[in-house]
Amino acid sequence: MNANALIRVEKLHKWFGMLHVLKGISFSVQPKEVVVLIGRSGSGKSTLLRCLNFLEEPSSGDITIGDISVTTAPGMRLDQRNVLAVRLQMGMVFQEFNLFPHMTVLGNVIEGLLTVKRMPRDQATALGEKYLEKVGLKDKRDIHPIRLSGGQKQRVAIARALAMEPKVMLFDEPTSALDPELIGEVLDVMKQLAIEGTTMIVVTHEMGFASDVADRVLYVDQGIIVEDGTPEQIFKDPRDERTRTFLKPLLKLQHL
């Protein structure tokens, strides 16, 4: 496990009752690295992301971001201060946009700054406008989400996560709820973030995005990391038969 890593995950397990979803996962992510998780639905990818920022409590294992570590074990009480500190370092974008319908676009983006970071409203507004401009939606700041397309809603969700200025961005299938013609505008924002050096962990079925943008691709199957390599290695010459079987129809479909 690289000592210079921004994120270190060691022997992470997650049980839901009798169902063993994550089976001792270990990996690390370097600063400015883009890591893409691929695998079948139900393989544990989304659960892994949700455990990283403690939306789901891991059953056991260690999660470290920077110099903040949280150790989990059966029956062990979590250090809530460290859990909060980890959460503040991770921005998350979900499949569904999870915007507040009663708030304006700007209101959605700055809500966390006001309530979690206790930032003065004028500072929060300036930061919110900065990140709305980054995702190309500053002109929509005063309208409500119901008047946005799905792609625009997801870009607002990205701006909301970025406004908290986390050290890493987590994306959980951010385009899966979008109509095909809207997927590109969200992927373009994510590609720009990658170019700018944003550390990212992305769960996606968009193999073209993974091929173009990822530094590393991890194939997850039944709660374990089966294969970890560069996009070229994973897509052109996967070593594991499970990876080859999973990728064959997808690569034909997406012309990779």
Side-chain angles (χ1 to χ4, degrees):
M1 199 69 70
N2 193 310
N4 297 321
L6 175 59
I7 299 168
R8 295 187 296 283
V9 178
E10 299 181 63
K11 298 177 181 174
L12 190 67
H13 289 264
K14 177 61 183 177
W15 293 80
F16 291 102
M18 298 296 290
L19 184 62
H20 196 184
V21 178
L22 301 179
K23 302 171 182 173
I25 281 183
S26 298
F27 71 103
S28 61
V29 181
Q30 300 300 310
K32 301 186 178 183
E33 192 171 31
V34 178
V35 174
V36 170
L37 308 179
I38 63 172
R40 299 178 197 284
S41 295
S43 61
K45 309 180 303 296
S46 293
T47 300
L48 174 55
L49 279 199
R50 292 174 68 85
C51 283
L52 291 182
N53 70 353
F54 294 91
L55 286 174
E56 294 286 356
E57 187 175 321
S59 301
S60 65
D62 299 309
I63 295 171
T64 303
I65 178 163
D67 57 359
I68 307 161
S69 289
V70 179
T71 297
T72 58
M76 180 180 179
R77 290 186 66 179
L78 291 178
D79 182 331
Q80 292 299 332
R81 284 177 304 176
N82 279 4
V83 167
L84 179 59
V86 166
R87 278 184 176 152
L88 284 171
Q89 303 298 336
M90 294 190 182
M92 185 146 180
V93 178
F94 301 88
Q95 295 178 40
E96 300 296 338
F97 324 116
N98 294 343
L99 300 179
F100 296 115
H102 64 288
M103 291 183 178
T104 64
V105 163
L106 181 64
N108 270 278
V109 172
I110 68 174
E111 179 67 9
L113 299 174
L114 298 174
T115 58
V116 178
K117 290 198 167 181
R118 308 280 184 196
M119 188 177 286
R121 184 169 287 274
D122 59 339
Q123 287 182 33
T125 297
L127 208 52
E129 289 178 340
K130 170 186 170 183
Y131 286 105
L132 282 173
E133 186 162 22
K134 191 176 196 62
V135 301
L137 289 173
K138 190 177 177 184
D139 61 322
K140 306 290 187 187
R141 54 161 279 168
D142 294 322
I143 70 171
H144 287 77
I146 196 170
R147 295 177 56 198
L148 299 177
S149 70
Q152 289 171 332
K153 288 176 184 174
Q154 194 62 292
R155 284 152 60 198
V156 172
I158 293 172
R160 176 180 57 188
L162 289 171
M164 298 294 283
E165 301 197 318
K167 288 184 177 175
V168 60
M169 288 284 288
L170 309 177
F171 292 88
D172 185 10
E173 298 195 27
T175 60
S176 66
L178 299 179
D179 293 331
E181 68 271 16
L182 301 176
I183 288 172
E185 67 187 68
V186 174
L187 294 180
D188 286 346
V189 169
M190 294 170 65
K191 286 175 184 176
Q192 187 58 39
L193 292 177
I195 289 167
E196 293 168 4
T198 306
T199 308
M200 296 159 62
I201 305 176
V202 183
V203 172
T204 187
H205 291 290
E206 297 291 334
M207 298 301 156
F209 171 84
S211 180
D212 291 345
V213 178
D215 297 299
R216 281 164 56 216
V217 175
L218 277 56
Y219 176 60
V220 181
D221 185 57
Q222 297 184 357
I224 62 170
I225 294 173
V226 170
E227 198 154 359
D228 177 348
T230 65
E232 185 174 20
Q233 184 258 304
I234 294 289
F235 293 134
K236 297 283 187 354
D237 187 27
R239 297 188 182 98
D240 194 281
E241 181 61 35
R242 289 166 289 183
T243 316
R244 287 196 288 272
T245 302
F246 169 73
L247 286 173
K248 194 172 183 180
L250 287 172
L251 296 183
K252 277 184 182 174
L253 197 64
Q254 300 192 25
H255 309 296
L256 286 177

